[in-house]
Amino acid sequence: MAFETNVFINCPFDNDYKSLLRPVVFCIYRLGFQPRIASERLDGNEPRIEKIIELIEGSKYGIHDLSRIKARKAGELFRLNMPLELGIDLGCKRFGGAPWSEKKCLIMETERYRYQAALSDLSSSDIVAHGNQPLEAFTAVRDWLDQEARLDADGPARLWDQFTDFMADNDDSLVARGFSRRDIDRLPISTLMRSMEAWVAAHPL
């Protein structure tokens, strides 16, 4: 049943976040789950909020990264999309009945207590701080899925080595197919997800 293995990812989509998003997505595939993300399909006719609600409704697990609740420079507005989507997910669990009452949620932030100033209603919640470090975010997702789904998964170091192996193999494959360094850096996450899924299938644990 897809609901049991779908993991909705609610995160920033700016270039700075790619270094965290890529290992997080790989970790989800490697542990036998299916990452679901708003940018997995690009249909201009589909209202974005409807797509997000569909993804939340179809996913037992949800990862919400609130790293952009603080503007990075004067005059810049902070991002409210991530708190909005977290609220939809919490509401789905609270009011949806079965099977949504079984939903699990991982909330991440850059700093451990910064969110309390902006979202004080979450002050009693357990939130993981990744410090903008890809390995920290990767380990948080691995530990959370291992605990909530009772996986007995391999350790973070071994899984991280597999992620770096994938990135190296994928780079070699893309270069051989005529992609420049710039092309590879700008690769859509949906394209990278297909490559991850194929690599994981070809390299069973």
Side-chain angles (χ1 to χ4, degrees), residues 51-76:
K51 176 166 57 176
I52 288 168
I53 290 172
E54 176 200 318
L55 294 176
I56 289 173
E57 190 176 31
S59 302
K60 179 175 180 178
Y61 300 92
I63 297 171
H64 302 271
D65 194 320
L66 304 179
S67 299
R68 299 295 184 266
I69 59 174
K70 181 180 180 181
R72 289 175 291 183
K73 59 185 178 182
E76 182 182 77

Side-chain angles (χ1 to χ4, degrees), residues 12-131:
F13 291 110
D14 53 59
N15 285 332
D16 290 344
Y17 196 79
K18 284 182 178 178
S19 63
L20 278 75
L21 178 59
R22 290 168 175 167
V24 163
V25 171
F26 180 86
C27 183
I28 293 168
Y29 275 126
R30 199 48 167 158
L31 295 181
F33 293 81
Q34 178 68 41
R36 305 300 308 272
I37 193 166
S39 57
E40 68 183 30
R41 61 180 191 263
L42 301 174
D43 180 357
N45 290 319
E46 185 178 25
R48 184 178 176 85
I49 189 64
E50 293 297 331
K51 176 166 57 176
I52 288 168
I53 290 172
E54 176 200 318
L55 294 176
I56 289 173
E57 190 176 31
S59 302
K60 179 175 180 178
Y61 300 92
I63 297 171
H64 302 271
D65 194 320
L66 304 179
S67 299
R68 299 295 184 266
I69 59 174
K70 181 180 180 181
R72 289 175 291 183
K73 59 185 178 182
E76 182 182 77
L77 298 177
F78 56 89
R79 304 290 301 278
L80 291 173
N81 287 335
M82 278 67 79
L84 170 65
E85 293 169 29
L86 169 60
I88 294 172
D89 204 6
L90 294 176
C92 186
K93 174 182 173 67
R94 180 67 177 82
F95 303 114
W100 300 282
S101 58
E102 300 300 318
K103 287 171 75 67
K104 307 292 184 181
C105 176
L106 172 67
I107 305 174
M108 299 196 292
E109 225 280 61
T110 303
E111 301 174 19
R112 183 167 300 278
Y113 301 112
R114 187 177 62 172
Y115 72 95
Q116 292 181 353
L119 285 169
S120 59
D121 286 351
L122 291 177
S123 58
S124 61
S125 301
D126 292 325
I127 291 185
V128 176
H130 53 58

Side-chain angles (χ1 to χ4, degrees), residues 148-161:
E148 296 300 331
R150 301 181 180 181
L151 299 178
D152 197 23
D154 285 345
R158 176 174 293 177
L159 295 173
W160 180 262
D161 286 346

